[in-house]
Amino acid sequence: MQFGAVTDIGMHRRINEDNYYVHEDGLFPYAIVADGMGGHQAGEVASMMVVDIIRNHLENNLEPELDYVEAGEVVRKAFVAANSIIFTYAKNHYKIMGMGTTTTLSMIYRDKVITAHVGDSRSYMVDGDEIRQITKDHSYVQELVSRGELSPEAARNHPKKNYITRAMGAEETVKVDITIKPYNGEKILLCSDGLTNFVTDEEIMDYMNNTDTLQEGAEQLVKLANDRGGRDNITIVVLERENGENEQ
């Protein structure tokens, strides 16, 4: 398993509210990216909590004999458990009341990619000259795009592009989107919107294809986002399984 990972405070923020985790060992390598919100240190707390809770849940409940659907359900329950814990914690600590976080996870499980997400942190599959977005943003502008009221090009510069419609910890319950797609050795890239607000999908693909390592590609993409303003925290994680590795 190869991976690259970078998190960067950006050019304007005082703290980094993003968090990530990479599980590179075993039969189910995966990555998590979380982008916290809530002001002060609340977002940082929420993103840290969600990564830790999901990681612990998966360590205790993922078993090699599970099929894809069963593994996906374990992931979904990890998200649900994390949402409940964060919501209750925030409710009982008034200084961070209202905190929340986006959360996106992609797992390479045998010959499939299991992805779960809440919010607008994204997951992509990059394969040569093709990039495919696995996730669909839970955001106001994405709803407008889905209804045909706004073009994808106009959405990039819409004044409400950062208004998300779903977040972990914001409400007592949460709907988690789960997708299961075939995996054929593609690069799996997860990122916070600090990247995608400043870098196009085509540029993500180009940097992933034209740098020597996944780590170098991730670092160069962060630099590009910062060069264009860096008005948010930026986090990127990339996974790629080598042929024949852990496919049983």
Side-chain angles (χ1 to χ4, degrees), residues 141-142 144-158:
V141 295
Q142 180 58 53
L144 296 180
V145 171
S146 298
R147 295 201 299 261
E149 299 177 17
L150 191 69
S151 70
E153 293 74 22
R156 287 187 59 84
N157 298 308
H158 195 282

Side-chain angles (χ1 to χ4, degrees), residues 32-48:
I32 307 171
V33 167
D35 179 356
M37 63 201 72
H40 305 293
Q41 292 186 339
E44 183 182 17
V45 171
S47 65
M48 186 180 303

Side-chain angles (χ1 to χ4, degrees), residues 2-6 187 189 203-204 206-224 236 238:
Q2 301 180 60
F3 76 93
V6 183
K187 298 178 181 71
L189 184 146
E203 288 170 328
I204 292 173
D206 288 344
Y207 276 74
M208 284 295 102
N209 287 332
N210 295 303
T211 47
D212 292 334
T213 66
L214 300 182
Q215 182 66 28
E216 182 183 351
E219 291 173 356
Q220 289 297 317
L221 283 168
V222 167
K223 182 179 184 301
L224 181 61
I236 307 170
V238 195

Side-chain angles (χ1 to χ4, degrees), residues 175-212:
K175 180 181 179 183
V176 184
D177 287 0
I178 301 285
T179 61
I180 301 176
K181 294 182 177 293
Y183 179 74
N184 296 296
E186 298 91 345
K187 298 178 181 71
I188 307 300
L189 184 146
L190 294 82
C191 62
S192 60
D193 68 345
L195 178 70
T196 51
N197 282 339
F198 301 99
V199 177
T200 67
D201 290 2
E202 291 73 21
E203 288 170 328
I204 292 173
M205 178 183 68
D206 288 344
Y207 276 74
M208 284 295 102
N209 287 332
N210 295 303
T211 47
D212 292 334

Side-chain angles (χ1 to χ4, degrees), residues 117-160:
H117 92 287
V118 173
D120 63 355
S121 293
R122 294 180 179 177
S123 180
Y124 292 91
M125 300 179 80
V126 182
D127 183 19
D129 60 356
E130 183 179 14
I131 182 168
R132 303 185 300 278
Q133 185 176 332
I134 300 173
T135 56
K136 180 179 286 189
D137 295 350
H138 299 138
S139 67
Y140 173 73
V141 295
Q142 180 58 53
E143 290 185 358
L144 296 180
V145 171
S146 298
R147 295 201 299 261
E149 299 177 17
L150 191 69
S151 70
E153 293 74 22
R156 287 187 59 84
N157 298 308
H158 195 282
K160 295 185 178 180

Side-chain angles (χ1 to χ4, degrees), residues 16-151:
N16 189 348
E17 295 185 305
D18 287 2
N19 269 286
Y20 74 88
Y21 174 71
V22 180
H23 181 82
E24 58 176 314
D25 301 321
L27 296 175
F28 26 78
Y30 65 87
I32 307 171
V33 167
D35 179 356
M37 63 201 72
H40 305 293
Q41 292 186 339
E44 183 182 17
V45 171
S47 65
M48 186 180 303
M49 287 181 67
V50 79
V51 167
D52 288 343
I53 295 164
I54 290 174
R55 181 185 66 193
N56 289 333
H57 187 98
L58 296 183
E59 287 178 357
N60 291 324
N61 293 280
L62 270 180
E63 300 292 343
E65 65 270 14
L66 298 178
D67 63 28
Y68 310 118
V69 175
E70 291 169 334
E73 179 62 9
V74 171
V75 173
R76 189 192 69 81
K77 288 181 177 179
F79 272 61
V80 170
N83 180 82
S84 178
I85 293 170
I86 293 168
F87 177 81
T88 301
Y89 184 84
K91 187 172 65 174
N92 293 328
H93 295 78
Y94 75 93
K95 289 185 178 180
I96 54 175
M97 190 174 296
M99 74 176 183
T101 181
T102 73
T103 311
T104 297
L105 175 151
S106 281
M107 175 186 296
I108 302 173
Y109 195 80
R110 299 177 186 149
D111 61 348
K112 296 288 192 294
V113 176
I114 300 171
T115 299
H117 92 287
V118 173
D120 63 355
S121 293
R122 294 180 179 177
S123 180
Y124 292 91
M125 300 179 80
V126 182
D127 183 19
D129 60 356
E130 183 179 14
I131 182 168
R132 303 185 300 278
Q133 185 176 332
I134 300 173
T135 56
K136 180 179 286 189
D137 295 350
H138 299 138
S139 67
Y140 173 73
V141 295
Q142 180 58 53
E143 290 185 358
L144 296 180
V145 171
S146 298
R147 295 201 299 261
E149 299 177 17
L150 191 69
S151 70

